Amino acid sequence: MTEDSGSFIEKMMELGIGMSMIQQMPAMINSVMPQPNEQGTAPTPPPIKEQSQTYLAVDGTQAGPFSDEELVKLVQNDLLTPETLVWKPGMSVWAPAAQVPEVNKLFFLAKMK
């Protein structure tokens, strides 16, 4: 056996190993990819931060829902005060904004911005 035939065999072995790895790639990729759920679609992650939904009573009329970011802007523009009646899912009655901890904290946040 000549040196060239040894090199040829080594290259064929490398090619065989490479081909084997290529054949295994789809299985490796599928093992790290999200798998479809029963409806055939990939699962979607939950939102990073669930948006708060707050309603306001403005001149006896319900307005909203508003996100926390929108409420901060309303505070900064003096349109939401501690006395403004607010309601959030889970509350049984409307209450002044100052008495709802999630909304009350926004008054402090609005001053910081």
Side-chain angles (χ1 to χ4, degrees):
M1 193 176 242
T2 65
E3 191 173 323
D4 287 336
S5 61
S7 176
F8 176 76
I9 292 172
E10 285 177 15
K11 289 185 190 231
M12 291 303 291
M13 287 178 61
E14 288 174 8
L15 180 62
I17 292 170
M19 292 299 290
S20 174
M21 290 177 68
I22 289 171
Q23 291 173 341
Q24 294 174 11
M25 288 290 275
M28 290 172 29
I29 291 171
N30 286 335
S31 71
V32 297
M33 296 295 289
Q35 298 302 310
N37 56 21
E38 295 81 35
Q39 291 83 21
T41 58
T44 56
I48 294 173
K49 178 184 175 191
E50 194 166 314
Q51 287 293 320
S52 175
Q53 293 190 342
T54 304
Y55 294 83
L56 307 179
V58 180
D59 296 325
T61 304
Q62 176 181 309
F66 296 99
S67 68
D68 287 350
E69 292 80 19
E70 292 169 321
L71 293 175
V72 167
K73 289 178 185 175
L74 291 173
V75 170
Q76 291 171 336
N77 290 304
D78 297 322
L79 299 171
L80 172 59
T81 67
E83 295 80 29
T84 303
L85 292 178
V86 300
W87 181 87
K88 295 175 69 66
M91 292 176 59
S92 58
V93 296
W94 289 79
Q99 294 179 11
V100 180
E102 299 92 348
V103 179
N104 190 38
K105 72 177 182 183
L106 300 176
F107 292 104
F108 299 105
L109 185 59
K111 291 179 185 178
M112 295 173 60
K113 289 189 174 189

